[in-house]
Amino acid sequence: MLLALSLNACAYRPFQPNPPMYELYVKDNATESDVKAAMLKCGYPSIAGGSRGNSSEVVAKRENCMFENGFKYRDGYKGICSLQSAQNTPACQSDVRISK
């Protein structure tokens, strides 16, 4: 019984790392290379992404740039500006911001 439970636990793979950021963005007819190029143009320091240590303002500017270029998050997330905690961030109050 213990062996069966142990093997079953391995099948679920609970501790998977987050995918690279470029896999989270989608756009009709965009290739993986298109996503990576857009991310770099929008100020992401690498295609792996990551926002650890970045301010809400920096994250919002990068996301807004991607949204303005027609990209969206694969899972439907509307970006940091959709969070109540980021509503006062200047980049979230911009008239340029596109919410799709």
Side-chain angles (χ1 to χ4, degrees):
M1 180 73 131
L2 185 58
L3 178 61
L5 289 174
S6 297
L7 291 174
N8 194 22
C10 293
Y12 291 109
R13 303 174 64 176
F15 299 109
Q16 294 301 304
N18 291 331
M21 194 73 173
Y22 68 87
E23 290 183 2
L24 301 180
Y25 282 111
V26 295
K27 177 181 173 181
D28 289 343
N29 301 315
T31 66
E32 186 176 291
S33 295
D34 295 334
V35 177
K36 292 176 181 179
M39 286 180 66
L40 294 174
K41 284 182 184 178
C42 287
Y44 284 90
S46 75
I47 56 173
S51 58
R52 178 170 279 169
N54 291 315
S55 68
S56 296
E57 179 74 6
V58 170
V59 173
K61 284 181 178 180
R62 291 176 185 161
E63 287 180 337
N64 289 343
C65 178
M66 292 297 285
F67 296 154
E68 289 166 8
N69 285 292
F71 290 91
K72 60 184 177 180
Y73 280 109
R74 184 178 304 277
D75 65 1
Y77 175 56
K78 301 293 186 197
I80 194 169
C81 291
S82 68
L83 303 176
Q84 184 67 32
S85 61
Q87 294 300 309
N88 292 328
T89 303
C92 294
Q93 297 175 354
S94 170
D95 290 337
V96 177
R97 186 173 173 272
I98 298 173
S99 57
K100 293 185 177 189

